Amino acid sequence: MSLVEDVADYIESKLSAWEVDTNLFMSDEPNDSPDKCLVVRIVPGSRDTESMLKMRSVQIIVKNIAPVTCEEDAEEVYNLLANKPGFDGISNVFYCESTNAPFPVDQDDRGRWVFVFTLLFKKL
Amino acid sequence: MPKISIEGDTEHLKAKFATHKLWFQKGLKAGLEVAMVQFMDDCINTVPRCPQKTGAMAASHSVFVGSKLVATSEGMVTVVNSSRRKEKRVPTPATTVPGGAGGWMLTGTLVVNKPYAVPVHEGIAGRYPAKNYTLPGSGPKWVSSKLIAYGDKYLKLMASAVRKMK
């Protein structure tokens, strides 16, 4: 399975508010997505080190009509993953480093608030 | 329990340390300036490149070391002016550091001085068509991805400048 699938499944297994293909999407968001939704996707910023350590940047986008709820949702997912070692079900990942904490980007074309953060997964 | 005590005069070392500290600081600052210019160049010219439609945002990058303006990208990019909303299609590189120069710490800052830069950088289709990167090789995260990919290169540039200063 790809890293994006692994991360999405991990969030679904740990947080009951998110369900894959219902309000938790991989790589892209469908046009008819619910007002509260989350997208996991790979973004530029990955590299392999000389010691074969793989670093992969994963961006999490959280959307909601209510800005406070949106921030809370983003913080909940961030606290689940950021700066934590080892994850059940995400193969070979031994650490997840935070590149930046959740911050509001803008409102999207449907008026939903958008909070975003990026994580750096370190895997063998 | 026997004890061994060693005494030494470190006065001459203190003077040398003070001199070395001075050239180290100078070298580090010069190196950071070189590294920041290289960083800005990578942001604009290395994949994922800074998105360019008219070039106004690509030409609005500035790099600072402390509060000193080191360079802007204004001369690195050709700006194509559009007849529509022409007043917004001009480069506006920052000339002062927003939020201060970092106090006593030696800081390098890159500023992309356009209000739509954050959603475009994050690839969020908000009020701006952020998903449409028309320039081949351009894309989201054109700044942050360079720190991950080329962070070691920037440190080596700084180390090289310190060695030259010696």
Side-chain angles (χ1 to χ4, degrees):
Chain A
M1 283 224 288
S2 75
L3 180 61
V4 165
E5 284 177 295
D6 283 347
V7 173
D9 288 346
Y10 184 78
I11 294 170
E12 184 185 39
S13 69
K14 298 290 178 186
L15 302 173
S16 58
W18 304 107
E19 193 178 334
V20 172
D21 290 338
T22 302
N23 61 0
L24 167 54
F25 304 102
M26 289 172 268
S27 298
D28 205 7
E29 179 194 345
N31 290 333
D32 58 349
S33 61
D35 286 343
K36 170 182 169 156
C37 72
L38 187 150
V39 181
V40 181
R41 64 178 183 180
I42 290 272
V43 287
S46 301
R47 77 177 183 119
D48 295 349
T49 65
E50 288 165 354
S51 54
M52 303 304 286
L53 172 70
K54 296 176 194 297
M55 296 200 275
R56 298 289 178 263
S57 284
V58 172
Q59 186 188 49
I60 311 266
I61 303 165
V62 183
K63 294 187 175 185
N64 201 314
I65 291 285
V68 175
T69 316
C70 190
E71 184 187 355
E72 286 169 357
D73 289 344
E75 284 290 340
E76 190 180 27
V77 180
Y78 178 77
N79 291 334
L80 175 72
L81 296 166
N83 302 319
K84 300 265 190 320
F87 300 93
D88 298 335
I90 308 180
S91 51
N92 296 330
V93 170
F94 64 89
Y95 196 76
C96 172
E97 187 181 305
S98 159
T99 306
N100 59 266
F103 66 95
V105 174
D106 206 346
Q107 283 176 286
D108 71 1
D109 45 6
R110 284 166 50 186
R112 295 177 298 180
W113 285 89
V114 181
F115 275 71
V116 67
F117 58 92
T118 309
L119 303 165
L120 192 62
F121 283 88
K122 297 183 176 182
K123 55 190 285 190
L124 299 171
Chain B
M1 178 73 75
K3 282 185 180 175
I4 298 171
S5 106
I6 299 171
E7 286 182 15
D9 181 6
T10 58
E11 281 306 310
H12 65 293
L13 285 177
K14 279 182 188 170
K16 274 187 180 175
F17 182 72
T19 317
H20 286 200
K21 193 177 164 190
L22 203 64
W23 64 248
F24 185 79
Q25 284 173 336
K26 273 186 183 174
L28 209 54
K29 200 170 178 183
L32 186 57
E33 288 184 9
V34 174
M36 288 304 292
V37 173
Q38 181 63 56
F39 175 43
M40 183 171 69
D41 188 69
D42 287 340
C43 290
I44 292 163
N45 296 316
T46 310
V47 175
R49 301 165 68 183
C50 175
Q52 291 178 35
K53 205 166 188 179
T54 65
M57 183 171 68
S60 297
H61 290 53
S62 311
V63 282
F64 300 85
V65 169
S67 57
K68 180 187 168 191
L69 175 66
V70 178
T72 72
S73 62
E74 220 170 338
M76 296 167 70
V77 181
T78 307
V79 181
V80 181
N81 272 320
S82 161
S83 56
R84 193 164 56 92
R85 299 168 70 192
K86 193 174 182 179
E87 75 282 1
K88 289 190 177 177
R89 308 286 166 85
V90 291
T92 52
T95 51
T96 54
V97 189
W104 59 271
M105 284 185 1
L106 185 62
T107 52
T109 309
L110 182 139
V111 180
V112 186
N113 196 28
K114 285 290 180 190
Y116 50 86
V118 172
V120 178
H121 182 262
E122 295 301 320
I124 306 294
R127 281 178 287 171
Y128 310 101
K131 281 184 179 174
N132 302 326
Y133 300 103
T134 49
L135 178 76
S138 66
K141 298 280 185 187
W142 73 90
V143 175
S144 62
S145 63
K146 307 299 161 46
L147 286 177
I148 296 164
Y150 306 123
D152 291 348
K153 179 174 83 173
Y154 305 136
L155 288 176
K156 281 175 186 166
L157 282 172
M158 291 168 71
S160 169
V162 171
R163 276 197 296 272
K164 280 178 190 165
M165 198 63 72
K166 196 171 172 181

